[in-house]
Amino acid sequence: MADAEIIPIGSGGRPGRGSARRTTPSAAARSLAGKKIKKGEPELEPEVVEQKIFAEVPGAEQQTAPDAPDFVAFEKMVRDLFGDAGEQKVAEWLAFLRRRLTGQYEVDEFGYDAELTDQVLLSGLRPLAEKWFRVEVRGIENIPDTGSALIVANHSGTMPLDGLITQLIIADHTNRPLRTLAADLVFRTPFVGELSRKAGATLASNDDAERLLRAGNLVGVWPEGFKGLGKPFSERYKLQRFGRGGFVSAAMRTGVPIVPCSIVGAEEIYPLVGNIASLARLLGVPYIPVTPFFPLLGPLGMVPLPSKWLIEFGEPIRTDDFPEGAADDPMLVFNVTDQVRETIQQTLYALLMQRRSVFF
């Protein structure tokens, strides 16, 4: 019997070319190769017997080794979901997951995780803002391209979605992150507090606000706090008290402009018609909301109504021309606070007149 030729695996008998057919002879072929050969006939190689078996046995070809994985269907699905840039987006997501798993990402001294905020949190909010609330933005040019500024907005809607949407709008239109100031209750809430830190929020205190402003950040504050969030629907778009003006004194000490921000549309997402005060006191929260759909419809009642949103950023109010020590003058701080509040209130009234309806 002649020496068997060594055939490279995967070459299909011809070096340099791949094939789906199994190139290693089966045990049956090797056995048949040396049996029942007529006298005078050359002895057959196992590979030749293998070919004869495949030719004579129906369905034998299906038992060959499977082809390499076919990614055509997967590629089509990616293109359908993400468009022509689908492959790039998938590659970016895989790289993002690798960095998260290996710990190759950074957070600042306040716990802000820029990559997580951009890739996950804001990306998840974008369809809600664009398709559900259909947010219309005005006066975005009043936000400085560089340097610090304090964004002051009205607060409403039972749930603080207006703060998240404002953060998204500023990031998308100015390519700058908005660092937000939040109440201490937010950071005492499990999971919510940690997620808020990663999204750029910090405690609503003068010290933290001044540190962020001196570092050149855009800082957002909602002075109405829970009083604005939890006010009844009958008082919609009527601003509550702006506190003691701590945000104004922080802006004065750092000399940054104050940009008034007026938000129309958030009042209608969860119309607050009642409050379970006894349960709220038991749980240590400001209120337990009752809306036309919650808790009557359970989790379904937590879906926000698709109101039409208008967000307008007003002209900046300068603070760098105040004399030194002005931040310690309570009357001056009160006057500037009242000026900001009145600017936002009048803008709200104007936007309400321009809006055709609650949902269109």
Side-chain angles (χ1 to χ4, degrees):
M1 177 177 177
D3 293 337
E5 179 185 1
I6 299 177
I7 303 175
I9 295 177
S11 64
R14 287 179 291 176
R17 295 188 61 183
S19 172
R21 183 183 296 275
R22 182 171 56 211
T23 58
T24 303
S26 65
R30 290 193 299 268
S31 176
L32 290 173
K35 295 181 180 180
K36 297 183 180 179
I37 300 177
K38 295 181 181 179
K39 186 176 181 180
E41 290 184 358
E43 186 174 348
L44 297 177
E45 298 290 341
E47 289 79 9
V48 178
V49 177
E50 182 95 1
Q51 294 175 6
K52 289 180 176 293
I53 293 175
F54 280 117
E56 296 175 1
V57 179
E61 185 68 25
Q62 298 177 3
Q63 301 177 6
T64 60
D67 291 332
D70 186 1
F71 292 104
V72 174
F74 177 72
E75 291 175 357
K76 183 179 183 301
M77 180 185 69
V78 169
R79 291 193 186 96
D80 291 342
L81 288 175
F82 304 106
D84 294 337
E87 295 181 8
Q88 178 66 23
K89 290 183 178 181
V90 170
E92 291 174 355
W93 266 100
L94 292 176
F96 168 77
L97 291 175
R98 179 185 60 80
R99 289 192 296 271
R100 308 311 295 188
L101 293 173
T102 58
Q104 296 178 358
Y105 58 92
E106 297 180 356
V107 297
D108 69 4
E109 58 179 318
F110 294 95
Y112 173 51
D113 189 334
E115 185 182 49
L116 179 68
T117 301
D118 293 338
Q119 296 280 346
V120 179
L121 303 180
L122 296 186
S123 295
L125 282 173
R126 194 165 288 111
L128 184 67
E130 295 178 353
K131 306 299 183 182
W132 195 249
F133 296 140
R134 295 144 292 143
V135 179
E136 182 179 333
V137 183
R138 303 175 184 179
I140 197 69
E141 66 277 1
N142 290 319
I143 298 178
D145 296 330
T146 59
S148 303
L150 184 66
I151 315 297
V152 182
N154 59 303
H155 214 13
S156 62
T158 306
M159 300 293 288
L161 277 178
D162 52 359
L164 297 174
I165 296 297
T166 303
Q167 188 176 4
L168 170 70
I169 292 300
I170 290 178
D172 284 351
H173 286 77
T174 68
N175 199 30
R176 300 187 64 187
L178 178 67
R179 307 299 299 275
T180 58
L181 303 179
D184 56 354
L185 176 63
V186 173
F187 302 105
R188 294 201 309 264
T189 305
F191 178 73
V192 174
E194 180 66 20
L195 188 62
S196 299
R197 285 282 186 190
K198 291 183 177 296
T202 190
L203 188 64
S205 66
N206 280 15
D207 290 340
D208 283 358
E210 291 177 24
R211 287 169 61 195
L212 286 170
L213 290 171
R214 287 196 174 96
N217 293 288
L218 294 177
V219 179
V221 61
W222 290 260
E224 293 177 278
F226 290 112
K227 300 188 302 293
L229 277 177
K231 66 177 178 286
F233 189 66
S234 59
E235 298 181 13
R236 59 192 180 278
Y237 298 114
K238 296 178 181 178
L239 295 185
Q240 304 298 299
R241 184 171 173 269
F242 265 24
R244 291 172 292 183
F247 67 94
V248 170
S249 61
M252 285 181 171
R253 287 193 176 91
T254 54
V256 304
I258 299 173
V259 180
C261 175
S262 305
I263 305 171
V264 165
E267 294 275 15
E268 292 87 8
I269 60 174
Y270 298 112
L272 188 66
V273 296
N275 173 29
I276 309 176
S278 57
L279 181 59
R281 286 193 298 270
L282 181 63
L283 297 177
V285 295
Y287 55 87
I288 297 294
V290 177
T291 74
F293 306 105
F294 181 85
L296 181 62
L297 299 182
L300 187 61
M302 299 180 67
V303 177
L305 296 178
S307 58
K308 169 67 177 176
W309 284 39
L310 301 175
I311 299 180
E312 181 168 329
F313 298 94
E315 293 185 6
I317 299 173
R318 295 184 57 182
T319 64
D320 55 351
D321 53 358
F322 288 110
E324 186 177 355
D328 298 321
D329 184 345
M331 287 304 299
L332 181 57
V333 170
F334 175 80
N335 288 336
V336 177
T337 301
D338 191 59
Q339 178 186 357
V340 175
R341 183 182 181 279
E342 189 64 22
T343 300
I344 296 174
Q345 183 69 82
Q346 294 303 318
T347 305
L348 288 175
Y349 289 148
L351 292 175
L352 288 170
M353 294 293 294
Q354 298 170 23
R355 189 173 62 165
R356 291 179 299 172
S357 71
V358 172
F359 300 107
F360 301 100

